[in-house]
Amino acid sequence: MRIRVRQRPRSRRTALRTGVPLTTLALAVAGCGASVTPGATTTSLRNTVATQGTPTPGATSPTPSPTGTATAHTAPMATATSCTDQTLAGMTTAQRVGQLFMGGVNAAKPDQAQLRILRDNHVGSVMLTGRSSAGTAATRKIVDGFRGQADRVGGKQVGLVVATDQEGGKVQVLNGPGFSAMPNGVTQGKKSTTMLRAEAAIWAQQLKRAGVDLNLAPVADVVPASLGTRNIPIGSFQREYGNTPGPVTSHTGAFAAGFKQSGVMTTLKHFPGLGQVIGNTDTTANVVDSVTTSTSASLDPFKSGIQAGSPFVMVSSATYNKIDAQHIAAFSPTVIGQLLRGQMGFKGVVISDDIGNAVAVRSFTPAQRALNFTSAGGDMILTVRPDVIPAMARAIQTRMGQDASYRAKIDASVRRILDAKHNAGLLQCS
């Protein structure tokens, strides 16, 4: 996604009136969409660590334990499996396909047409994009407004996952009253892990109050000191926690732990790492990493985060010559199936970086992007441009009708997404 430099809000945004139509409220929520990714223009940064089967922070408020650690809304695995299967069985093909998408809604310039596209295509997740200075209370009103358009199956609502890019520094979508000014990754990386975890728990509480379930962070990319700011997507914006795997591993872990403590999911990004590249995939085509291998130490932050139960992992749109030189990572069965799923054992939700507007995928039609990502083993398609979703959804539905093995792959992806929603308190069956 494109990266926008965060500016201090000039004035406090007026609260939304309760009389505003539901669609307008939903649109106003904008904030969702382009993550800040180092680049020339607005870039969305996305990285999501998703865990499956493990309780993950969700929409409902966590219950404090005697030690002060929040307990995420969870249910026994048998119950989760039963609820997921029950919901999946009651879904139409269109509803299943809709769960595969996370569509961006721009907060700065709400567009009713965007919300309409998401609703008409049964989209199951929303990303707040752009920049908002409305604060937690006003953002919550907007989020609550569009949550009502989520699909129902068997009389029960399949809750929307509401996400945003809240890394800190120049990548912070939501600002204003109730939100802290988060420091950038380099600064966070200089804190003790105990302090970072405590601060992350507070930042997560702020997102929860604003109605956000998922943060497309932390950044698990290792930018070597020799490359530094020449690394456009990460280093030039000081998004990294350090220049070696050790501090990046410890601090992404502390950040994710703080968010989990407060009941908000996180996403590890951008697998298998954007630390060794020069170009930004949001604004540049043919971004190549000729260094990283399937056994590089720079993968340690991802490996550790996955072992800790990360619910989402975001895959980059760069090409990794020493892993799979024929495909960008998001379209690579080797990167997703063999490395991420097989070697690292990740069982959660694999989400793409933005493949709706990024220059890295412009040579592919929207239909090709959707089919390539899902065929490679990806689960959730992130697009800051909702207008490409109809073409993507049609292509997936058509392929499902033609190929039983592909349909089974899609059903497996929907199960993973529904499991994550159930663990986050967004899917109720009883």
Side-chain angles (χ1 to χ4, degrees):
M1 308 273 193
R2 301 182 179 178
I3 199 167
R4 292 182 180 174
V5 176
R6 182 170 66 85
Q7 300 178 340
R8 290 198 175 276
R10 297 179 180 177
S11 60
R12 182 172 182 173
R13 178 173 294 182
T14 32
L16 296 173
R17 301 176 184 175
T18 54
V20 176
L22 181 66
T23 311
T24 302
L25 282 178
L27 287 171
V29 158
C32 205
S35 300
V36 185
T37 307
T41 31
T42 310
T43 318
S44 350
L45 300 177
R46 304 162 202 308
N47 275 296
T48 328
V49 178
T51 345
Q52 252 226 340
T54 313
T56 46
T60 24
S61 301
T63 304
S65 69
T67 60
T69 300
T71 302
H73 183 123
T74 58
M77 181 53 64
T79 303
T81 301
S82 174
C83 184
T84 293
D85 288 344
Q86 178 182 330
T87 303
L88 182 63
M91 285 181 155
T92 64
T93 296
Q95 287 178 319
R96 294 183 186 203
V97 173
Q99 291 298 311
L100 304 175
F101 291 95
M102 176 179 284
V105 177
N106 192 312
K109 297 180 180 179
D111 182 349
Q112 293 189 16
Q114 291 181 333
L115 283 183
R116 190 175 306 113
I117 289 172
L118 300 184
R119 183 186 65 243
D120 292 348
N121 288 275
H122 311 279
V123 171
S125 300
V126 175
M127 177 186 182
L128 300 178
T129 63
R131 287 295 175 275
S132 169
S133 59
T136 56
T139 300
R140 182 57 179 259
K141 288 181 180 179
I142 296 170
V143 172
D144 286 347
F146 64 68
R147 276 195 188 279
Q149 73 179 43
D151 271 17
R152 288 184 173 274
V153 175
K156 300 288 185 178
Q157 191 173 61
V158 181
L160 295 173
V161 167
V162 177
T164 196
D165 273 328
Q166 203 83 341
E167 296 174 15
K170 294 177 180 178
V171 184
Q172 182 172 342
V173 170
L174 302 177
N175 304 278
F179 287 112
S180 300
M182 298 167 61
N184 61 36
V186 170
T187 301
Q188 290 180 38
K190 293 177 180 178
K191 298 175 181 289
S192 70
T193 53
T194 300
M195 179 178 292
L196 179 58
R197 176 172 177 161
E199 292 185 355
I202 294 172
W203 300 332
Q205 290 168 8
Q206 295 169 354
L207 285 182
K208 178 175 279 293
R209 285 195 289 271
V212 176
D213 313 299
L214 171 66
N215 190 3
L216 298 177
V219 171
D221 307 314
V222 179
V223 180
S226 59
L227 193 55
T229 57
R230 290 188 297 121
N231 171 256
I232 303 301
I234 310 300
S236 68
F237 290 93
Q238 298 187 305
R239 298 170 66 193
E240 73 275 22
Y241 285 107
N243 303 123
T244 58
V248 177
T249 298
S250 61
H251 285 69
T252 54
F255 185 97
F259 269 72
K260 185 173 183 177
Q261 175 181 320
S262 293
V264 176
M265 296 182 286
T266 50
T267 302
L268 290 173
K269 62 186 183 186
H270 311 78
F271 189 83
L274 285 176
Q276 294 284 358
V277 305
I278 298 296
N280 179 353
T281 56
D282 287 325
T283 57
T284 308
N286 303 315
V287 175
V288 176
D289 175 334
S290 298
V291 177
T292 304
T293 70
S294 61
T295 58
S296 290
S298 59
L299 296 178
D300 289 352
F302 294 101
K303 186 184 304 181
S304 179
I306 288 168
Q307 292 173 346
S310 175
F312 289 77
V313 169
M314 181 179 288
V315 180
S316 90
S317 295
T319 299
Y320 297 79
N321 280 348
K322 292 189 176 180
I323 300 176
D324 180 357
Q326 305 304 312
H327 307 90
I328 65 171
F331 299 165
S332 171
T334 302
V335 171
I336 297 176
Q338 295 181 29
L339 181 54
L340 182 55
R341 294 286 191 205
Q343 185 173 314
M344 295 201 168
F346 181 60
K347 294 179 173 60
V349 179
V350 175
I351 185 171
S352 71
D353 201 339
D354 172 44
I355 57 174
N357 194 52
V359 174
V361 295
R362 290 276 178 86
S363 62
F364 300 90
T365 66
Q368 289 171 329
R369 298 172 208 170
L371 293 176
N372 288 345
F373 176 67
T374 52
S375 295
D379 302 311
M380 186 177 287
I381 296 168
L382 173 62
T383 171
V384 296
R385 286 182 50 191
D387 61 301
V388 302
I389 292 176
M392 289 180 165
R394 284 194 299 271
I396 293 173
Q397 289 190 53
T398 298
R399 178 68 60 83
M400 289 174 70
Q402 300 169 339
D403 186 338
S405 63
Y406 178 77
R407 184 180 185 92
K409 186 186 293 281
I410 293 302
D411 284 348
S413 289
V414 177
R415 277 194 179 88
R416 283 187 281 267
I417 292 166
L418 293 179
D419 277 345
K421 288 188 173 187
H422 184 276
N423 291 336
L426 298 171
L427 183 66
Q428 303 292 334
C429 293
S430 59

